């Protein structure tokens, strides 16, 4: 990645598992770039506390799942239409 993009300043990962892979590669290559993950997976707390991971986004996926099920049931029961955009809560977790 560094050879292909030498001006790279940071890495944003679509999930914390990818961020963990990037952190492992950086350790093997003995280099550092700021890394941000997405999920707030419990395993990443160590990396946040040491500063190896800059931040992760907690999207409260369990709450999102509950709301999604409630929404689907409301649609199936004819209480609401299946349309529109539905926002969910999130929190940026930093060291």
């Amino acid at each position: 990645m560094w050879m292909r993009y030498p001006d790279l300043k940071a890495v944003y990962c679509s999930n914390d598992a990818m961020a963990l892979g990037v952190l492992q590669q950086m350790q093997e290559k003995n280099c550092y770039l700021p890394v941000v993950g997405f999920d707030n997976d419990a395993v990443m707390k160590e990396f946040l506390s040491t500063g190896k991971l800059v931040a992760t986004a907690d999207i409260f996926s369990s709450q999102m799942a509950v709301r999604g099920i409630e929404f689907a049931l409301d649609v199936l029961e004819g209480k609401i239409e299946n349309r529109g955009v539905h926002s969910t809560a999130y929190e940026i977790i930093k060291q």
Side-chain angles (χ1 to χ4, degrees):
M1 179 169 59
W2 293 270
M3 294 177 79
R4 188 169 183 181
Y5 303 101
D7 295 332
L8 195 63
K9 304 289 186 237
V11 180
Y12 170 79
C13 300
S14 296
N15 57 54
D16 284 341
M18 289 180 172
L20 184 57
V22 170
L23 292 170
Q24 289 171 338
Q25 285 294 307
M26 286 193 310
Q27 184 175 356
E28 288 177 16
K29 305 287 187 210
N30 196 29
C31 61
Y32 174 79
L33 289 173
V35 177
V36 175
F38 192 89
D39 288 335
N40 193 26
D41 194 306
V43 74
M44 301 309 278
K45 287 183 186 196
E46 171 191 342
F47 298 99
L48 283 167
S49 66
T50 62
K52 293 180 181 176
L53 182 71
V54 174
T56 182
D58 190 338
I59 58 168
F60 306 103
S61 55
S62 61
Q63 292 174 11
M64 188 186 308
V66 169
R67 181 61 195 121
I69 292 167
E70 291 171 346
F71 178 77
L73 291 172
D74 286 347
V75 169
L76 291 172
E77 293 171 3
K79 294 179 182 176
I80 59 174
E81 290 185 38
N82 183 13
R83 57 182 348 177
V85 175
H86 302 275
S87 298
T88 59
Y90 68 92
E91 181 179 357
I92 304 299
I93 311 296
K94 299 186 280 187
Q95 68 261 35

Coordinates of all heavy atoms in Angstrom, one line a residue:
M1 N 0.8 -1.2 0.0 CA 0.0 0.0 0.0 C 0.9 1.3 0.0 O 0.6 2.2 -0.7 CB -0.9 0.0 1.2 CG -1.8 1.1 1.4 SD -3.1 1.0 2.6 CE -2.2 0.7 4.1
W2 N 1.9 1.2 0.8 CA 2.8 2.4 0.9 C 3.6 2.6 -0.4 O 3.8 3.7 -0.8 CB 3.7 2.3 2.1 CG 3.0 2.4 3.4 CD1 2.7 3.5 4.1 CD2 2.4 1.3 4.1 NE1 1.9 3.2 5.2 CE2 1.8 1.8 5.2 CE3 2.3 -0.1 3.9 CZ2 1.1 1.0 6.2 CZ3 1.7 -0.9 4.8 CH2 1.1 -0.3 5.9
M3 N 3.9 1.5 -1.0 CA 4.7 1.6 -2.3 C 3.8 2.2 -3.4 O 4.2 3.0 -4.2 CB 5.3 0.3 -2.7 CG 6.3 -0.2 -1.7 SD 6.9 -1.8 -2.1 CE 8.1 -1.4 -3.4
R4 N 2.5 1.8 -3.4 CA 1.6 2.2 -4.4 C 1.1 3.7 -4.2 O 0.9 4.4 -5.1 CB 0.4 1.3 -4.5 CG -0.5 1.5 -5.7 CD -1.5 0.4 -5.8 NE -2.3 0.7 -7.0 CZ -3.3 -0.1 -7.4 NH1 -3.6 -1.2 -6.7 NH2 -4.0 0.2 -8.5
Y5 N 1.0 4.0 -2.9 CA 0.5 5.4 -2.6 C 1.5 6.0 -1.6 O 1.2 6.1 -0.4 CB -0.9 5.3 -1.9 CG -1.9 4.6 -2.9 CD1 -2.3 3.3 -2.7 CD2 -2.5 5.3 -3.9 CE1 -3.2 2.7 -3.5 CE2 -3.4 4.7 -4.8 CZ -3.8 3.4 -4.6 OH -4.7 2.8 -5.4
P6 N 2.6 6.4 -2.0 CA 3.6 6.9 -1.1 C 3.2 8.2 -0.3 O 3.8 8.5 0.7 CB 4.8 7.2 -2.0 CG 4.3 7.3 -3.4 CD 3.0 6.5 -3.4
D7 N 2.2 8.9 -0.8 CA 1.8 10.2 -0.2 C 0.6 9.9 0.8 O 0.1 10.9 1.3 CB 1.3 11.2 -1.2 CG 2.5 11.7 -2.1 OD1 3.7 11.6 -1.6 OD2 2.3 12.1 -3.2
L8 N 0.3 8.7 1.1 CA -0.8 8.3 1.9 C -0.5 8.9 3.3 O 0.6 8.8 3.9 CB -0.9 6.8 2.0 CG -2.1 6.2 2.6 CD1 -3.3 6.5 1.8 CD2 -1.9 4.7 2.7
K9 N -1.6 9.6 3.9 CA -1.4 10.2 5.2 C -2.1 9.5 6.3 O -1.8 9.7 7.5 CB -2.0 11.7 5.1 CG -1.3 12.5 4.0 CD 0.1 12.9 4.4 CE 0.6 13.8 3.3 NZ 1.8 13.4 2.7
A10 N -3.2 8.7 6.0 CA -3.9 8.0 7.0 C -4.7 6.9 6.3 O -4.8 6.9 5.0 CB -4.9 8.9 7.7
V11 N -5.3 6.0 7.1 CA -6.1 4.9 6.5 C -7.4 4.8 7.3 O -7.4 4.8 8.5 CB -5.3 3.5 6.7 CG1 -6.2 2.4 6.1 CG2 -4.0 3.6 6.0
Y12 N -8.5 4.9 6.5 CA -9.8 4.7 7.1 C -10.3 3.3 6.6 O -10.2 3.0 5.4 CB -10.8 5.7 6.6 CG -12.3 5.4 6.9 CD1 -12.7 5.6 8.2 CD2 -13.1 4.7 6.0 CE1 -14.0 5.2 8.6 CE2 -14.4 4.4 6.4 CZ -14.8 4.6 7.7 OH -16.1 4.3 8.0
C13 N -10.7 2.5 7.6 CA -11.2 1.1 7.3 C -12.7 1.0 7.4 O -13.2 1.6 8.4 CB -10.4 0.1 8.2 SG -8.6 0.2 8.0
S14 N -13.3 0.2 6.6 CA -14.7 0.0 6.7 C -15.2 -0.8 7.9 O -16.4 -0.8 8.2 CB -15.2 -0.8 5.4 OG -15.0 0.0 4.3
N15 N -14.3 -1.5 8.6 CA -14.6 -2.1 9.8 C -13.3 -2.3 10.6 O -12.2 -2.1 10.1 CB -15.3 -3.5 9.6 CG -14.5 -4.4 8.7 OD1 -13.4 -4.7 9.0 ND2 -15.1 -4.9 7.6
D16 N -13.5 -2.7 11.9 CA -12.4 -2.8 12.8 C -11.5 -4.0 12.4 O -10.3 -4.0 12.7 CB -12.8 -2.9 14.2 CG -13.2 -1.5 14.8 OD1 -12.8 -0.5 14.2 OD2 -13.9 -1.5 15.8
A17 N -12.1 -5.1 11.8 CA -11.3 -6.2 11.4 C -10.3 -5.8 10.3 O -9.1 -6.2 10.4 CB -12.2 -7.3 10.9
M18 N -10.7 -4.9 9.4 CA -9.7 -4.4 8.4 C -8.7 -3.5 9.1 O -7.5 -3.6 8.7 CB -10.5 -3.6 7.3 CG -11.3 -4.4 6.4 SD -12.1 -3.3 5.3 CE -12.8 -4.5 4.1
A19 N -9.1 -2.7 10.0 CA -8.2 -1.8 10.7 C -7.1 -2.7 11.5 O -5.9 -2.3 11.5 CB -8.9 -1.0 11.7
L20 N -7.6 -3.8 12.0 CA -6.6 -4.7 12.7 C -5.6 -5.2 11.8 O -4.4 -5.3 12.0 CB -7.4 -5.8 13.4 CG -6.6 -6.8 14.3 CD1 -5.8 -6.0 15.4 CD2 -7.5 -7.8 14.9
G21 N -6.0 -5.6 10.6 CA -5.1 -6.1 9.5 C -4.1 -5.0 9.1 O -2.9 -5.3 8.9
V22 N -4.6 -3.8 9.0 CA -3.7 -2.7 8.6 C -2.7 -2.5 9.7 O -1.5 -2.3 9.5 CB -4.5 -1.4 8.3 CG1 -3.6 -0.2 8.2 CG2 -5.3 -1.6 7.1
L23 N -3.1 -2.5 11.0 CA -2.2 -2.3 12.1 C -1.1 -3.4 12.1 O 0.0 -3.2 12.4 CB -3.0 -2.3 13.4 CG -3.9 -1.0 13.6 CD1 -4.8 -1.2 14.8 CD2 -3.0 0.2 13.7
Q24 N -1.6 -4.6 11.9 CA -0.6 -5.8 11.8 C 0.4 -5.6 10.7 O 1.6 -5.8 10.9 CB -1.3 -7.1 11.7 CG -2.1 -7.5 13.0 CD -3.0 -8.7 12.8 OE1 -3.4 -9.0 11.7 NE2 -3.3 -9.3 13.9
Q25 N 0.0 -5.2 9.6 CA 0.9 -4.9 8.4 C 1.9 -3.8 8.7 O 3.0 -3.9 8.4 CB 0.1 -4.6 7.2 CG -0.5 -5.8 6.5 CD 0.5 -6.8 6.0 OE1 1.4 -6.4 5.3 NE2 0.4 -8.0 6.4
M26 N 1.4 -2.8 9.4 CA 2.2 -1.6 9.7 C 3.3 -2.1 10.7 O 4.5 -1.7 10.6 CB 1.4 -0.5 10.3 CG 0.7 0.3 9.2 SD 0.0 1.9 9.7 CE -0.8 1.5 11.3
Q27 N 2.9 -2.9 11.7 CA 3.9 -3.4 12.6 C 5.0 -4.3 11.9 O 6.1 -4.1 12.2 CB 3.2 -4.3 13.7 CG 4.1 -4.7 14.8 CD 3.4 -5.4 15.9 OE1 2.2 -5.5 15.9 NE2 4.1 -5.9 16.9
E28 N 4.5 -5.1 11.0 CA 5.5 -6.0 10.3 C 6.4 -5.1 9.4 O 7.6 -5.4 9.3 CB 4.7 -7.0 9.4 CG 4.1 -8.1 10.1 CD 3.3 -9.0 9.2 OE1 3.5 -9.0 8.0 OE2 2.4 -9.8 9.8
K29 N 5.9 -4.0 8.8 CA 6.7 -3.2 8.0 C 7.4 -2.1 8.8 O 8.2 -1.3 8.2 CB 5.8 -2.5 6.9 CG 5.0 -3.4 6.1 CD 5.8 -4.2 5.1 CE 4.9 -5.0 4.2 NZ 5.5 -6.2 3.7
N30 N 7.2 -2.0 10.1 CA 7.8 -1.0 11.0 C 7.5 0.4 10.5 O 8.5 1.2 10.3 CB 9.3 -1.3 11.1 CG 9.9 -0.6 12.3 OD1 9.1 -0.3 13.3 ND2 11.1 -0.2 12.2
C31 N 6.3 0.7 10.2 CA 5.9 2.0 9.7 C 4.6 2.4 10.4 O 3.9 1.5 11.0 CB 5.8 2.1 8.2 SG 4.5 1.0 7.6
Y32 N 4.2 3.7 10.4 CA 3.0 4.1 11.1 C 2.3 5.1 10.3 O 2.9 6.0 9.7 CB 3.4 4.7 12.4 CG 2.1 5.3 13.1 CD1 1.2 4.4 13.7 CD2 1.9 6.6 13.0 CE1 0.1 5.0 14.3 CE2 0.7 7.2 13.6 CZ -0.2 6.3 14.2 OH -1.3 6.8 14.8
L33 N 1.0 4.9 10.2 CA 0.0 5.9 9.7 C -1.1 5.9 10.6 O -1.5 4.9 11.2 CB -0.5 5.5 8.3 CG 0.5 5.6 7.1 CD1 -0.2 5.0 5.9 CD2 0.9 7.0 6.8
P34 N -1.8 7.1 10.8 CA -3.0 7.0 11.6 C -4.1 6.1 11.0 O -4.3 6.1 9.7 CB -3.5 8.5 11.5 CG -2.3 9.3 11.2 CD -1.5 8.4 10.3
V35 N -4.7 5.3 11.8 CA -5.7 4.4 11.3 C -7.0 4.6 12.1 O -7.0 4.8 13.3 CB -5.3 2.9 11.5 CG1 -6.4 1.9 11.1 CG2 -4.0 2.6 10.8
V36 N -8.1 4.6 11.3 CA -9.5 4.8 11.9 C -10.3 3.5 11.5 O -10.3 3.2 10.3 CB -10.2 6.0 11.4 CG1 -11.6 6.1 11.9 CG2 -9.4 7.3 11.8
G37 N -10.9 2.9 12.4 CA -11.8 1.8 12.2 C -13.2 2.1 12.2 O -13.6 3.3 12.3
F38 N -14.1 1.1 12.1 CA -15.5 1.3 12.1 C -16.2 0.1 12.7 O -16.0 -1.0 12.1 CB -16.0 1.5 10.7 CG -17.4 2.0 10.5 CD1 -17.6 3.3 10.5 CD2 -18.4 1.1 10.4 CE1 -18.9 3.8 10.4 CE2 -19.7 1.6 10.3 CZ -20.0 2.9 10.3
D39 N -16.8 0.1 13.8 CA -17.6 -0.9 14.5 C -17.5 -0.8 16.0 O -18.4 -1.3 16.7 CB -17.1 -2.3 14.2 CG -17.4 -2.8 12.8 OD1 -18.4 -2.4 12.2 OD2 -16.7 -3.7 12.3
N40 N -16.4 -0.3 16.5 CA -16.1 -0.2 17.9 C -16.1 -1.6 18.5 O -16.7 -1.9 19.5 CB -17.1 0.7 18.7 CG -16.6 0.9 20.1 OD1 -15.4 0.9 20.4 ND2 -17.5 1.2 21.0
D41 N -15.4 -2.5 17.8 CA -15.2 -3.9 18.3 C -14.4 -3.9 19.6 O -13.4 -3.2 19.7 CB -14.5 -4.7 17.2 CG -14.6 -6.2 17.5 OD1 -14.2 -6.6 18.6 OD2 -15.0 -6.9 16.5
A42 N -14.8 -4.7 20.5 CA -14.1 -4.7 21.8 C -12.6 -5.0 21.7 O -11.8 -4.4 22.5 CB -14.8 -5.7 22.8
V43 N -12.2 -5.8 20.8 CA -10.8 -6.1 20.6 C -9.9 -4.9 20.3 O -8.7 -4.9 20.6 CB -10.6 -7.2 19.6 CG1 -10.8 -6.7 18.2 CG2 -9.2 -7.9 19.7
M44 N -10.6 -3.8 19.8 CA -9.8 -2.6 19.4 C -9.5 -1.7 20.6 O -8.7 -0.8 20.4 CB -10.6 -1.9 18.4 CG -10.9 -2.7 17.1 SD -9.4 -3.5 16.4 CE -8.7 -2.2 15.5
K45 N -10.0 -1.9 21.8 CA -9.8 -1.0 22.9 C -8.3 -1.0 23.3 O -7.8 0.1 23.6 CB -10.6 -1.5 24.1 CG -12.0 -1.2 24.0 CD -12.8 -1.6 25.2 CE -14.3 -1.4 24.9 NZ -15.2 -1.4 26.0
E46 N -7.6 -2.1 23.2 CA -6.2 -2.1 23.4 C -5.4 -1.1 22.5 O -4.6 -0.4 22.9 CB -5.6 -3.5 23.3 CG -4.1 -3.6 23.3 CD -3.6 -4.9 22.9 OE1 -4.3 -5.9 23.0 OE2 -2.4 -5.0 22.6
F47 N -5.8 -1.2 21.2 CA -5.2 -0.4 20.2 C -5.5 1.1 20.4 O -4.7 2.0 20.1 CB -5.5 -0.9 18.8 CG -5.0 -2.3 18.6 CD1 -5.9 -3.3 18.7 CD2 -3.7 -2.5 18.3 CE1 -5.5 -4.6 18.5 CE2 -3.3 -3.8 18.1 CZ -4.2 -4.9 18.2
L48 N -6.7 1.4 20.8 CA -7.1 2.8 21.1 C -6.3 3.3 22.3 O -5.8 4.4 22.3 CB -8.6 2.9 21.4 CG -9.6 2.8 20.2 CD1 -11.0 2.6 20.7 CD2 -9.5 4.1 19.4
S49 N -6.2 2.5 23.3 CA -5.5 3.0 24.5 C -4.0 3.2 24.3 O -3.4 4.0 25.0 CB -5.7 2.0 25.7 OG -5.1 0.7 25.4
T50 N -3.4 2.5 23.4 CA -2.0 2.6 23.1 C -1.7 3.7 22.0 O -0.6 4.0 21.7 CB -1.3 1.3 22.6 OG1 -2.0 0.9 21.4 CG2 -1.4 0.2 23.7
G51 N -2.8 4.2 21.4 CA -2.7 5.2 20.3 C -2.4 4.6 18.9 O -2.3 5.4 18.0
K52 N -2.3 3.3 18.8 CA -2.1 2.7 17.5 C -3.3 2.9 16.6 O -3.2 3.0 15.4 CB -1.8 1.2 17.6 CG -0.4 1.0 18.3 CD -0.1 -0.5 18.4 CE 1.2 -0.6 19.1 NZ 1.5 -2.0 19.4
L53 N -4.5 2.9 17.2 CA -5.7 3.2 16.4 C -6.2 4.6 16.9 O -6.3 4.8 18.0 CB -6.8 2.1 16.8 CG -8.1 2.3 16.0 CD1 -8.0 1.9 14.6 CD2 -9.2 1.4 16.7
V54 N -6.4 5.5 15.9 CA -6.8 6.8 16.2 C -8.2 6.9 16.7 O -8.5 7.6 17.7 CB -6.6 7.7 15.0 CG1 -7.2 9.1 15.2 CG2 -5.2 7.8 14.6
A55 N -9.1 6.2 16.1 CA -10.5 6.2 16.5 C -11.3 5.0 15.8 O -10.8 4.4 14.9 CB -11.2 7.5 16.1
T56 N -12.5 4.8 16.3 CA -13.4 3.9 15.6 C -14.8 4.4 15.8 O -15.0 5.2 16.7 CB -13.3 2.5 16.2 OG1 -14.2 1.6 15.5 CG2 -13.6 2.4 17.7
A57 N -15.7 4.1 14.9 CA -17.1 4.6 15.0 C -17.9 3.5 15.5 O -17.9 2.4 15.0 CB -17.5 5.0 13.6
D58 N -18.7 3.8 16.6 CA -19.6 2.9 17.1 C -21.0 3.2 16.5 O -21.5 4.3 16.7 CB -19.7 3.0 18.7 CG -20.5 1.9 19.3 OD1 -21.3 1.3 18.6 OD2 -20.2 1.7 20.5
I59 N -21.6 2.3 15.8 CA -22.9 2.6 15.2 C -24.0 1.9 15.9 O -25.1 1.9 15.4 CB -22.9 2.1 13.7 CG1 -22.5 0.6 13.6 CG2 -21.9 3.0 12.9 CD1 -22.7 0.0 12.2
F60 N -23.7 1.4 17.1 CA -24.8 0.7 17.9 C -25.6 -0.3 17.1 O -26.8 -0.2 17.0 CB -25.7 1.8 18.5 CG -24.9 2.8 19.3 CD1 -24.7 4.1 18.7 CD2 -24.4 2.5 20.5 CE1 -24.0 5.1 19.4 CE2 -23.6 3.5 21.2 CZ -23.5 4.8 20.7
S61 N -24.9 -1.3 16.5 CA -25.5 -2.2 15.6 C -26.6 -3.0 16.2 O -27.6 -3.3 15.5 CB -24.4 -3.1 15.0 OG -23.7 -3.8 16.0
S62 N -26.5 -3.3 17.5 CA -27.6 -4.1 18.1 C -28.9 -3.3 18.1 O -30.0 -3.8 17.9 CB -27.2 -4.6 19.5 OG -27.0 -3.5 20.3
Q63 N -28.8 -2.0 18.4 CA -29.9 -1.1 18.4 C -30.4 -0.9 17.0 O -31.6 -0.8 16.8 CB -29.6 0.3 19.0 CG -29.3 0.2 20.5 CD -28.8 1.6 21.0 OE1 -28.9 2.6 20.3 NE2 -28.3 1.6 22.2
M64 N -29.5 -0.9 16.0 CA -29.9 -0.7 14.6 C -30.7 -2.0 14.2 O -31.7 -1.9 13.5 CB -28.7 -0.6 13.7 CG -29.0 -0.2 12.3 SD -27.6 -0.2 11.2 CE -26.5 0.9 12.1
A65 N -30.3 -3.1 14.6 CA -31.0 -4.4 14.3 C -32.4 -4.4 14.9 O -33.4 -4.7 14.2 CB -30.2 -5.6 14.8
V66 N -32.5 -4.0 16.1 CA -33.9 -3.9 16.7 C -34.8 -2.9 16.0 O -35.9 -3.3 15.7 CB -33.8 -3.5 18.2 CG1 -35.1 -3.2 18.8 CG2 -33.1 -4.6 19.0
R67 N -34.2 -1.8 15.7 CA -35.1 -0.8 15.0 C -35.4 -1.3 13.6 O -36.5 -1.1 13.1 CB -34.3 0.6 14.9 CG -35.1 1.6 14.2 CD -36.4 2.0 14.9 NE -37.2 2.7 14.0 CZ -38.5 2.4 13.7 NH1 -39.0 1.3 14.1 NH2 -39.2 3.1 12.8
G68 N -34.5 -2.0 12.9 CA -34.8 -2.5 11.6 C -35.9 -3.6 11.6 O -36.8 -3.6 10.8
I69 N -35.9 -4.4 12.7 CA -36.9 -5.4 12.8 C -38.3 -4.8 13.1 O -39.3 -5.1 12.5 CB -36.6 -6.4 13.9 CG1 -35.4 -7.3 13.5 CG2 -37.8 -7.3 14.3 CD1 -34.7 -8.1 14.6
E70 N -38.2 -3.8 14.0 CA -39.5 -3.0 14.3 C -40.0 -2.4 13.0 O -41.3 -2.4 12.8 CB -39.2 -2.0 15.4 CG -38.9 -2.5 16.7 CD -38.5 -1.5 17.7 OE1 -38.1 -0.4 17.3 OE2 -38.5 -1.8 18.9
F71 N -39.2 -1.8 12.3 CA -39.6 -1.1 11.0 C -40.2 -2.1 10.1 O -41.3 -1.9 9.5 CB -38.4 -0.4 10.4 CG -38.8 0.3 9.1 CD1 -39.5 1.5 9.1 CD2 -38.4 -0.2 7.9 CE1 -39.8 2.1 7.9 CE2 -38.7 0.4 6.7 CZ -39.4 1.6 6.7
A72 N -39.5 -3.2 9.9 CA -40.0 -4.3 9.0 C -41.4 -4.8 9.4 O -42.3 -5.0 8.5 CB -39.0 -5.4 8.9
L73 N -41.6 -5.0 10.7 CA -42.9 -5.5 11.2 C -44.0 -4.4 11.0 O -45.1 -4.8 10.6 CB -42.8 -5.8 12.7 CG -41.9 -7.1 13.0 CD1 -41.8 -7.2 14.5 CD2 -42.6 -8.3 12.4
D74 N -43.6 -3.1 11.2 CA -44.6 -2.1 10.9 C -45.0 -2.0 9.5 O -46.2 -1.8 9.1 CB -44.0 -0.7 11.4 CG -44.0 -0.5 12.9 OD1 -44.6 -1.4 13.6 OD2 -43.3 0.4 13.4
V75 N -44.1 -2.2 8.5 CA -44.4 -2.2 7.1 C -45.2 -3.4 6.8 O -46.3 -3.3 6.1 CB -43.1 -2.3 6.3 CG1 -43.4 -2.5 4.8 CG2 -42.3 -0.9 6.4
L76 N -44.9 -4.6 7.3 CA -45.7 -5.8 7.0 C -47.1 -5.7 7.6 O -48.0 -6.3 7.0 CB -44.9 -7.0 7.6 CG -43.6 -7.4 6.9 CD1 -42.9 -8.5 7.7 CD2 -43.9 -7.9 5.5
E77 N -47.2 -5.0 8.7 CA -48.6 -4.9 9.3 C -49.3 -3.7 8.7 O -50.5 -3.4 9.1 CB -48.4 -4.7 10.8 CG -47.9 -6.0 11.5 CD -47.5 -5.8 12.9 OE1 -47.8 -4.6 13.5 OE2 -47.0 -6.7 13.6
G78 N -48.7 -3.0 7.7 CA -49.4 -1.9 7.1 C -49.5 -0.6 7.9 O -50.2 0.3 7.5
K79 N -48.7 -0.5 8.9 CA -48.8 0.7 9.8 C -48.0 1.8 9.1 O -48.4 3.0 9.4 CB -48.1 0.4 11.1 CG -48.9 -0.6 12.0 CD -48.2 -0.9 13.3 CE -48.9 -1.9 14.1 NZ -48.2 -2.2 15.4
I80 N -47.0 1.6 8.4 CA -46.2 2.6 7.7 C -45.8 2.1 6.3 O -45.9 0.9 6.0 CB -45.0 3.0 8.5 CG1 -44.0 1.8 8.7 CG2 -45.3 3.6 9.8 CD1 -42.7 2.1 9.3
E81 N -45.4 3.1 5.4 CA -45.0 2.7 4.1 C -43.5 2.4 4.2 O -42.8 2.9 5.0 CB -45.2 3.9 3.1 CG -46.7 4.1 2.8 CD -46.8 5.2 1.7 OE1 -46.0 5.2 0.8 OE2 -47.8 6.0 1.9
N82 N -43.1 1.6 3.2 CA -41.7 1.2 3.1 C -40.9 2.2 2.3 O -40.7 2.0 1.1 CB -41.5 -0.2 2.5 CG -40.1 -0.6 2.5 OD1 -39.2 0.0 3.1 ND2 -39.8 -1.7 1.8
R83 N -40.6 3.4 2.9 CA -40.0 4.4 2.1 C -39.3 5.4 3.1 O -39.5 5.4 4.3 CB -40.9 5.2 1.3 CG -42.1 5.8 2.0 CD -43.1 6.5 1.2 NE -42.6 6.7 -0.2 CZ -43.4 7.3 -1.1 NH1 -44.6 7.7 -0.8 NH2 -42.9 7.4 -2.3
G84 N -38.4 6.2 2.5 CA -37.7 7.2 3.3 C -36.3 6.7 3.8 O -35.9 5.6 3.6
V85 N -35.7 7.7 4.4 CA -34.3 7.5 5.0 C -34.5 7.4 6.5 O -35.2 8.2 7.1 CB -33.4 8.6 4.6 CG1 -32.0 8.5 5.3 CG2 -33.2 8.6 3.1
H86 N -33.8 6.5 7.1 CA -33.9 6.3 8.6 C -32.5 6.5 9.1 O -31.6 5.7 8.8 CB -34.5 5.0 8.9 CG -35.8 4.8 8.4 ND1 -36.9 5.3 9.0 CD2 -36.2 4.3 7.2 CE1 -38.0 5.0 8.2 NE2 -37.6 4.4 7.1
S87 N -32.3 7.5 10.0 CA -30.9 7.7 10.5 C -30.8 6.9 11.8 O -31.7 6.5 12.5 CB -30.8 9.2 10.9 OG -30.9 10.0 9.8
T88 N -29.5 6.6 12.1 CA -29.2 5.8 13.3 C -28.1 6.6 14.0 O -27.4 7.4 13.5 CB -28.7 4.4 13.0 OG1 -27.5 4.5 12.1 CG2 -29.7 3.6 12.3
A89 N -28.1 6.3 15.3 CA -27.1 7.0 16.2 C -25.7 6.4 15.9 O -25.5 5.3 15.5 CB -27.4 6.8 17.6
Y90 N -24.7 7.2 16.2 CA -23.3 6.8 16.1 C -22.5 7.6 17.1 O -22.9 8.7 17.5 CB -22.7 6.9 14.7 CG -22.5 8.3 14.2 CD1 -21.3 9.0 14.5 CD2 -23.5 9.0 13.6 CE1 -21.1 10.3 14.1 CE2 -23.4 10.3 13.2 CZ -22.2 11.0 13.4 OH -22.0 12.3 13.1
E91 N -21.3 7.1 17.4 CA -20.4 7.8 18.3 C -19.0 7.5 17.9 O -18.6 6.4 17.5 CB -20.6 7.3 19.8 CG -19.7 8.0 20.8 CD -19.9 7.5 22.2 OE1 -20.8 6.7 22.4 OE2 -19.2 8.0 23.1
I92 N -18.2 8.6 17.8 CA -16.8 8.4 17.5 C -16.0 8.1 18.8 O -16.1 8.9 19.7 CB -16.2 9.6 16.8 CG1 -17.0 10.0 15.5 CG2 -14.7 9.4 16.5 CD1 -17.0 8.9 14.5
I93 N -15.3 7.0 18.9 CA -14.6 6.6 20.0 C -13.1 6.9 19.8 O -12.5 6.4 18.8 CB -14.8 5.1 20.3 CG1 -16.2 4.7 20.3 CG2 -14.1 4.7 21.6 CD1 -17.1 5.3 21.4
K94 N -12.5 7.7 20.7 CA -11.1 8.0 20.5 C -10.3 7.6 21.8 O -10.9 7.3 22.8 CB -10.9 9.5 20.3 CG -11.6 10.1 19.1 CD -11.3 11.5 18.8 CE -12.1 12.4 19.7 NZ -12.0 13.8 19.4
Q95 N -9.0 7.6 21.6 CA -8.2 7.2 22.8 C -8.2 8.2 23.9 O -8.6 9.3 23.9 CB -6.7 6.9 22.4 CG -5.9 8.1 22.0 CD -5.8 8.3 20.5 OE1 -6.7 8.0 19.8 NE2 -4.7 8.8 20.1

